Amino acid sequence: MAKTCFYCGKELEAGQRCSCRGSSKSGTAAGTSQAAASATTASASGSQASSTSGSSSNAADTGAFAGESEKKKSGKEKRKQVWNEDRKAKTRFSFSRFIDQVRSSFPSISKLMRPVMAYIWHPVTTIQNRSRIVSIPKVLVINSIFATFTSLMVLFTNRTNSPFLGMLISLIFGKTDLFSEHPFIAFVTISAILWFCVLLLALCFFVLSRFANRKLSYLRALDTVTMSSIYLCFADVLIFFSVPLGTQGAFTLIFVALVIMGITHFVSLKNDLMLTDNVAFNMLTASYLMFYFLAQLGISIIIRIATLF
């Protein structure tokens, strides 16, 4: 009768021993070691993943902190740059800021000078938008200031023995000792001549406006001449300051003032009479020619009357 294994039932030969229990133990041990290895691998993977996630989270935190610090640094640099620009702007001279400071420090003077400064900063707009009603006191005051400033300027510069001024005096007055011997009579004579020129030029505008099929009142024409008297006053003041520094280029301002006077008349007449550019130019040229011939005649009469005294 064949011998069988008590555990697995395998038939055995005589004297043969079954190895089922050894293989089962080795399989169990192998399974146990494999499970342990799997658990170890899983644990290592978990720890690696946790360390990776931890390092990534730490890196994210570090990046966020670096970004915030970079933003703070850039914001601080921008504020410093803006502060430096403001500091430079405050130390840098600005004419507009200087004007604002003068206005705030002297409100009464700035209010008084505001209409005058409008002729410098906004000349065309001021001329075009002036009141249609002519103020006679304004005309009298401005032209009186113009006559006074110009007479004083002529008497003052006559003492400098300027060849240009001597030539002008010889052309207008002829060879006369009126300025050196009788300065007060010279002052009155020049003022009278200037007032005569203002009234005569306004008369020329008044008459020649009729040839352009327009009706310009004499007061309006006188107001137009008064606008140019303001710029001539500016030239007189500049000449007063320029002559002590040297008379070589001071009287060039007279020609500049005459050019500005012509532009002022052109803008005013064109706006008041609704003229085209060509008609306004031709009317202005004819007015100046008419004024020249009449002024020569009138000035010679005034000088003859002055020399009688």
Side-chain angles (χ1 to χ4, degrees):
M1 184 175 178
K3 187 178 178 180
T4 59
C5 179
F6 178 77
Y7 297 100
C8 62
K10 179 180 178 181
E11 291 183 0
L12 301 173
E13 294 179 357
Q16 183 181 2
R17 298 182 64 178
C18 183
S19 60
C20 62
R21 294 189 65 183
S23 61
S24 175
K25 289 181 180 179
S26 63
T28 304
T32 304
S33 62
Q34 186 176 1
S38 299
T40 304
T41 304
S43 175
S45 299
S47 62
Q48 184 177 3
S50 63
S51 64
T52 303
S53 62
S55 62
S56 62
S57 63
N58 291 333
D61 294 339
T62 305
F65 179 75
E68 291 179 358
S69 62
E70 188 70 24
K71 287 181 180 179
K72 290 181 180 179
K73 186 177 180 180
S74 61
K76 190 175 181 180
E77 290 179 354
K78 288 181 179 179
R79 288 193 297 270
K80 187 176 180 181
Q81 185 178 2
V82 171
W83 182 77
N84 290 331
E85 290 178 356
D86 293 339
R87 186 178 179 182
K88 290 180 180 179
K90 290 180 180 179
T91 56
R92 192 185 304 118
F93 177 78
S94 175
F95 186 74
S96 60
R97 187 169 64 249
F98 173 74
I99 294 296
D100 292 337
Q101 291 176 357
V102 171
R103 287 177 179 175
S104 59
S105 301
F106 308 98
S108 58
I109 297 178
S110 63
K111 185 178 180 180
L112 181 63
M113 295 297 295
R114 190 176 303 161
V116 179
M117 298 303 294
Y119 289 97
I120 298 177
W121 304 121
H122 311 285
V124 177
T125 306
T126 304
I127 295 171
Q128 291 178 345
N129 296 335
R130 70 186 192 277
S131 176
R132 304 295 300 181
I133 301 174
V134 179
S135 176
I136 297 178
K138 175 184 174 183
V139 172
L140 294 175
V141 170
I142 292 176
N143 288 296
S144 297
I145 293 174
F146 161 64
T148 302
F149 278 7
T150 306
S151 300
L152 292 175
M153 183 268 294
V154 173
L155 293 175
F156 174 70
T157 53
N158 182 57
R159 297 181 178 274
T160 62
N161 296 322
S162 171
F164 178 77
L165 181 62
M167 181 183 65
L168 288 179
I169 293 174
S170 299
L171 289 174
I172 298 174
F173 297 95
K175 291 184 178 180
T176 178
D177 297 329
L178 181 65
F179 290 87
S180 58
E181 296 181 358
H182 306 284
F184 179 75
I185 297 177
F187 173 80
V188 175
T189 302
I190 297 172
S191 300
I193 289 174
L194 292 172
W195 260 108
F196 171 75
C197 292
V198 169
L199 298 175
L200 181 61
L201 185 57
L203 180 64
C204 294
F205 290 157
F206 170 74
V207 172
L208 291 178
S209 65
R210 268 59 183 171
F211 291 94
N213 297 323
R214 298 292 191 273
K215 290 183 179 181
L216 181 68
S217 65
Y218 183 76
L219 285 178
R220 190 65 176 177
L222 188 59
D223 187 58
T224 298
V225 180
T226 304
M227 296 297 103
S228 61
S229 297
I230 296 175
Y231 293 102
L232 293 175
C233 288
F234 292 154
D236 290 336
V237 174
L238 291 176
I239 290 174
F240 268 121
F241 287 104
S242 301
V243 167
L245 301 178
T247 60
Q248 295 181 354
F251 291 99
T252 309
L253 295 170
I254 296 177
F255 297 102
V256 175
L258 292 176
V259 171
I260 295 175
M261 181 186 70
I263 296 173
T264 303
H265 294 162
F266 180 82
V267 173
S268 179
L269 292 175
K270 180 184 175 183
N271 182 71
D272 292 341
L273 302 178
M274 300 297 178
L275 301 175
T276 61
D277 293 340
N278 294 325
V279 175
F281 182 85
N282 293 331
M283 176 186 168
L284 203 58
T285 304
S287 299
Y288 288 159
L289 292 175
M290 180 179 176
F291 167 77
Y292 173 77
F293 291 111
L294 295 177
Q296 287 291 326
L297 178 62
I299 290 173
S300 62
I301 295 173
I302 294 174
I303 292 175
R304 286 181 180 273
I305 295 174
T307 52
L308 294 176
F309 296 96

